[in-house]
Amino acid sequence: MSIGAVLDALRSDYPEITISKIRFLESEGLISPARTPSGYRQFSHADIRRLRFVLSAQRDHYLPLKVIRAKLEEFDASPTPDGPVLTAPPDVVSPADTAAPRTGGPGGGGGGGGFDGGFGGTVPRPRSLSAVGPWTPTGPSDEDPDRALAGVSSGEDVDGVDRETVLAEDGVDEALLTSLEHHGILRPDVSGRYEPEAPVIARTAASLAALGVEPRLLRGLRAGADREVGLLTQLVTPVARSRAPEATRRAHDLSGELAALSGRLHALLVGSGLRHGLRR
């Protein structure tokens, strides 16, 4: 399959998937599609299964790339016909699953077992979903936490997206996109292109706008995100500038973990705050 065909095959299950994302995963060595004599990628069914594994591990279990890479290396050492899978004892659940129950989607989410996601061990499964709390996030979300700070540490040259790509998202029109730019939520570069996350950000903003949260009200979130990036960058930069071997790789892995944990903590704090407000 061509990279475009792969995009079409995965988009229904992983709406956030982009060509840039696939290229990035290839550059990280998580997939290795064949190449035609002219240089075009050719993906096999095994490559597709591998991609699904990576995307599900990130989205459903918030795994950093270094953990995903280790699990793929385990599979490569002892391959099976069904491809790499995530398995776990039936009585544990990952920290991500206790944070907010999910439903639907391949690779688990709401009903499957959890496992040690690389953040310090497993968590006992609650007796029922009510133990987690009634609040469940809805709408689109950025399901690629490792990308949030990747450029800070690795210096990766990531392809941006154009205005037409952002406008192709559900609920996003010229008026909304212009407003997001005006209030600093999205920041196009000098050529008018956006960061790869822009389509997901715009789609999320459209969902919020449908619930009455206008783009101007998101300026505080943007400012908070900028402050958070500044804080976490102070932790990543010394690692990236170290002269130790694999410094860039270590900095990238650290940035991925920080982004995932920070995003999870933010979601937990917002959910807790909303529940507390409703009890007043």
Side-chain angles (χ1 to χ4, degrees):
M1 300 173 68
S2 68
I3 194 169
V6 171
L7 205 63
D8 292 339
L10 295 178
R11 184 167 283 157
S12 61
D13 293 329
Y14 306 95
E16 81 288 354
I17 190 68
T18 63
I19 289 178
S20 295
K21 167 78 172 185
I22 296 174
R23 289 173 177 166
F24 170 71
L25 294 177
E26 181 185 3
S27 72
E28 289 294 307
L30 300 178
I31 55 173
S32 301
R35 295 272 185 162
T36 66
S38 55
Y40 291 102
R41 295 173 178 83
Q42 287 187 321
F43 293 81
S44 66
H45 291 294
D47 292 324
I48 304 301
R49 286 196 298 269
R50 203 175 180 94
L51 267 173
R52 287 185 178 277
F53 172 84
V54 173
L55 295 171
S56 293
Q58 287 186 318
R59 181 188 67 185
D60 299 329
H61 302 285
Y62 297 85
L63 288 185
L65 289 185
K66 69 176 182 180
V67 176
I68 298 174
R69 186 178 297 109
K71 291 185 177 295
L72 287 174
E73 288 173 355
E74 291 176 5
F75 166 76
D76 290 338
S78 301
T80 60
D82 294 332
V85 294
L86 295 174
T87 58
D91 59 341
V92 296
V93 62
S94 71
D97 292 333
T98 61
R102 291 173 174 268
T103 57
F115 59 100
D116 181 355
F119 298 113
T122 55
V123 178
R125 180 181 296 280
R127 294 182 182 274
S128 68
L129 287 179
S130 62
V132 177
W135 179 77
T136 302
T138 59
S141 62
D142 186 350
E143 295 162 348
D144 189 10
D146 279 296
R147 298 285 295 167
L149 294 177
V152 174
S153 60
S154 67
E156 174 201 357
D157 185 15
V158 182
D159 294 335
V161 298
D162 56 26
R163 191 176 186 86
E164 289 70 26
T165 300
V166 180
L167 288 171
E169 295 294 325
D170 291 340
V172 181
D173 56 19
E174 283 283 356
L176 176 67
L177 184 51
T178 299
S179 184
L180 291 174
E181 292 177 355
H182 176 72
H183 294 294
I185 312 304
L186 289 179
R187 299 163 179 167
D189 60 22
V190 292
S191 66
R193 297 180 70 81
Y194 303 87
E195 290 295 318
E197 298 84 0
V200 178
I201 294 173
R203 191 169 75 243
T204 304
S207 295
L208 286 169
L211 296 174
V213 183
E214 301 175 6
R216 63 183 178 84
L217 302 177
L218 302 178
R219 288 180 294 185
L221 293 178
R222 173 82 259 187
D226 289 342
R227 288 194 298 270
E228 192 171 344
V229 168
L231 171 65
L232 299 184
T233 299
Q234 295 178 39
L235 302 175
V236 174
T237 300
V239 178
R241 292 178 177 175
S242 169
R243 295 183 179 180
E246 298 293 320
T248 299
R249 172 78 66 186
R250 289 170 54 197
H252 171 70
D253 289 340
L254 174 61
S255 67
E257 287 196 56
L258 288 171
L261 291 169
S262 175
R264 185 188 310 166
L265 178 60
H266 178 81
L268 288 169
L269 292 173
V270 171
S272 175
L274 287 174
R275 283 194 296 273
H276 178 73
L278 291 175
R279 289 197 296 267
R280 290 180 179 177

Short mmCIF file of all heavy atoms in Angstrom, two decimals, residues 16 18 20-21 142 144 147 156-161 165-166 193-201:
data_model
loop_
_atom_site.label_atom_id
_atom_site.label_comp_id
_atom_site.label_asym_id
_atom_site.label_seq_id
_atom_site.Cartn_x
_atom_site.Cartn_y
_atom_site.Cartn_z
N GLU A 16 -6.71 11.30 13.96
CA GLU A 16 -5.62 12.27 14.05
C GLU A 16 -4.43 11.90 13.19
O GLU A 16 -3.47 12.67 13.08
CB GLU A 16 -5.16 12.39 15.51
CG GLU A 16 -4.21 11.30 15.99
CD GLU A 16 -4.87 9.94 16.16
OE1 GLU A 16 -6.11 9.84 16.03
OE2 GLU A 16 -4.15 8.95 16.42
N THR A 18 -1.76 11.47 10.34
CA THR A 18 -1.35 12.31 9.21
C THR A 18 -0.14 11.66 8.55
O THR A 18 0.52 10.78 9.12
CB THR A 18 -0.96 13.72 9.67
OG1 THR A 18 0.18 13.64 10.54
CG2 THR A 18 -2.11 14.41 10.38
N SER A 20 2.61 13.20 8.06
CA SER A 20 3.75 13.61 8.89
C SER A 20 3.94 12.67 10.07
O SER A 20 5.06 12.35 10.45
CB SER A 20 3.54 15.04 9.39
OG SER A 20 3.54 15.96 8.33
N LYS A 21 2.83 12.24 10.65
CA LYS A 21 2.90 11.31 11.79
C LYS A 21 3.53 9.99 11.37
O LYS A 21 4.40 9.45 12.06
CB LYS A 21 1.50 11.08 12.32
CG LYS A 21 1.34 9.92 13.29
CD LYS A 21 1.83 10.28 14.66
CE LYS A 21 1.48 9.18 15.65
NZ LYS A 21 1.84 9.53 17.02
N ASP A 142 -6.09 15.37 21.37
CA ASP A 142 -4.80 15.11 20.75
C ASP A 142 -4.30 13.79 21.30
O ASP A 142 -3.90 13.70 22.45
CB ASP A 142 -3.82 16.24 21.09
CG ASP A 142 -2.52 16.07 20.33
OD1 ASP A 142 -2.32 15.02 19.71
OD2 ASP A 142 -1.72 17.00 20.37
N ASP A 144 -1.68 12.08 20.61
CA ASP A 144 -0.27 11.81 20.37
C ASP A 144 0.58 12.59 21.35
O ASP A 144 1.23 13.56 20.99
CB ASP A 144 0.07 12.22 18.93
CG ASP A 144 1.46 11.76 18.54
OD1 ASP A 144 2.05 10.99 19.31
OD2 ASP A 144 1.93 12.18 17.48
N ARG A 147 4.28 13.85 20.84
CA ARG A 147 4.64 14.88 19.87
C ARG A 147 4.73 16.26 20.51
O ARG A 147 5.34 17.16 19.95
CB ARG A 147 3.57 14.94 18.76
CG ARG A 147 3.46 13.69 17.96
CD ARG A 147 4.60 13.52 17.01
NE ARG A 147 4.58 14.56 16.00
CZ ARG A 147 5.58 14.81 15.17
NH1 ARG A 147 6.69 14.13 15.27
NH2 ARG A 147 5.49 15.75 14.26
N GLU A 156 13.72 17.97 15.37
CA GLU A 156 13.13 17.30 14.21
C GLU A 156 12.50 18.31 13.25
O GLU A 156 11.80 19.24 13.66
CB GLU A 156 12.07 16.33 14.71
CG GLU A 156 11.28 15.67 13.62
CD GLU A 156 9.96 15.15 14.17
OE1 GLU A 156 9.73 15.27 15.35
OE2 GLU A 156 9.18 14.65 13.34
N ASP A 157 12.72 18.15 11.98
CA ASP A 157 12.14 19.01 10.96
C ASP A 157 10.81 18.41 10.54
O ASP A 157 10.73 17.60 9.63
CB ASP A 157 13.09 19.13 9.76
CG ASP A 157 12.58 20.12 8.72
OD1 ASP A 157 11.67 20.89 9.06
OD2 ASP A 157 13.10 20.10 7.60
N VAL A 158 9.74 18.83 11.24
CA VAL A 158 8.43 18.25 10.99
C VAL A 158 7.69 19.05 9.93
O VAL A 158 7.68 20.28 9.97
CB VAL A 158 7.61 18.23 12.31
CG1 VAL A 158 6.26 17.59 12.08
CG2 VAL A 158 8.37 17.50 13.39
N ASP A 159 7.09 18.36 8.99
CA ASP A 159 6.32 19.03 7.96
C ASP A 159 5.11 19.71 8.59
O ASP A 159 4.39 19.12 9.39
CB ASP A 159 5.83 18.04 6.90
CG ASP A 159 7.00 17.44 6.13
OD1 ASP A 159 8.05 18.11 6.08
OD2 ASP A 159 6.85 16.34 5.59
N GLY A 160 4.87 20.97 8.23
CA GLY A 160 3.68 21.67 8.69
C GLY A 160 2.49 21.32 7.82
O GLY A 160 2.58 20.56 6.87
N VAL A 161 1.34 21.90 8.16
CA VAL A 161 0.12 21.68 7.38
C VAL A 161 -0.38 23.02 6.87
O VAL A 161 -0.15 24.06 7.50
CB VAL A 161 -0.98 20.98 8.23
CG1 VAL A 161 -0.52 19.61 8.68
CG2 VAL A 161 -1.34 21.82 9.45
N THR A 165 -5.84 22.13 4.84
CA THR A 165 -5.89 20.92 5.66
C THR A 165 -6.63 21.17 6.97
O THR A 165 -7.44 20.35 7.41
CB THR A 165 -4.46 20.43 5.96
OG1 THR A 165 -3.79 20.13 4.72
CG2 THR A 165 -4.48 19.17 6.82
N VAL A 166 -6.37 22.31 7.58
CA VAL A 166 -7.06 22.65 8.84
C VAL A 166 -8.55 22.87 8.58
O VAL A 166 -9.40 22.40 9.34
CB VAL A 166 -6.43 23.89 9.49
CG1 VAL A 166 -7.14 24.25 10.79
CG2 VAL A 166 -4.94 23.67 9.76
N ARG A 193 1.89 28.30 7.06
CA ARG A 193 1.67 26.91 7.45
C ARG A 193 1.61 26.79 8.97
O ARG A 193 2.16 27.61 9.70
CB ARG A 193 2.76 26.00 6.88
CG ARG A 193 2.77 25.96 5.36
CD ARG A 193 3.86 25.06 4.83
NE ARG A 193 3.60 23.65 5.09
CZ ARG A 193 2.78 22.89 4.35
NH1 ARG A 193 2.15 23.42 3.31
NH2 ARG A 193 2.60 21.62 4.64
N TYR A 194 0.93 25.73 9.42
CA TYR A 194 0.73 25.50 10.85
C TYR A 194 1.52 24.29 11.31
O TYR A 194 1.96 23.46 10.52
CB TYR A 194 -0.75 25.27 11.15
CG TYR A 194 -1.67 26.37 10.71
CD1 TYR A 194 -2.20 26.39 9.42
CD2 TYR A 194 -2.04 27.40 11.57
CE1 TYR A 194 -3.05 27.40 9.00
CE2 TYR A 194 -2.89 28.41 11.17
CZ TYR A 194 -3.39 28.41 9.88
OH TYR A 194 -4.24 29.41 9.46
N GLU A 195 1.65 24.17 12.64
CA GLU A 195 2.25 22.99 13.22
C GLU A 195 1.39 21.76 12.91
O GLU A 195 0.18 21.88 12.67
CB GLU A 195 2.37 23.15 14.75
CG GLU A 195 3.41 24.18 15.18
CD GLU A 195 4.81 23.76 14.79
OE1 GLU A 195 5.14 22.56 14.93
OE2 GLU A 195 5.58 24.61 14.32
N PRO A 196 1.97 20.54 12.91
CA PRO A 196 1.20 19.33 12.59
C PRO A 196 -0.01 19.10 13.49
O PRO A 196 -0.97 18.46 13.10
CB PRO A 196 2.23 18.20 12.75
CG PRO A 196 3.55 18.87 12.54
CD PRO A 196 3.41 20.25 13.10
N GLU A 197 0.04 19.63 14.72
CA GLU A 197 -1.08 19.44 15.66
C GLU A 197 -2.27 20.35 15.36
O GLU A 197 -3.34 20.20 15.95
CB GLU A 197 -0.62 19.70 17.09
CG GLU A 197 0.46 18.77 17.59
CD GLU A 197 1.87 19.18 17.20
OE1 GLU A 197 2.02 20.23 16.53
OE2 GLU A 197 2.82 18.47 17.56
N ALA A 198 -2.11 21.32 14.45
CA ALA A 198 -3.14 22.33 14.21
C ALA A 198 -4.51 21.76 13.85
O ALA A 198 -5.53 22.24 14.35
CB ALA A 198 -2.67 23.31 13.13
N PRO A 199 -4.61 20.73 12.98
CA PRO A 199 -5.94 20.19 12.67
C PRO A 199 -6.68 19.68 13.90
O PRO A 199 -7.89 19.93 14.06
CB PRO A 199 -5.65 19.06 11.68
CG PRO A 199 -4.36 19.46 11.02
CD PRO A 199 -3.57 20.12 12.12
N VAL A 200 -5.97 18.99 14.80
CA VAL A 200 -6.61 18.46 16.00
C VAL A 200 -6.99 19.60 16.94
O VAL A 200 -8.06 19.60 17.55
CB VAL A 200 -5.69 17.46 16.72
CG1 VAL A 200 -6.34 16.95 18.00
CG2 VAL A 200 -5.37 16.29 15.81
N ILE A 201 -6.12 20.61 17.06
CA ILE A 201 -6.42 21.77 17.90
C ILE A 201 -7.67 22.48 17.38
O ILE A 201 -8.58 22.83 18.15
CB ILE A 201 -5.23 22.73 17.94
CG1 ILE A 201 -4.04 22.08 18.66
CG2 ILE A 201 -5.60 24.04 18.62
CD1 ILE A 201 -2.76 22.90 18.61
#
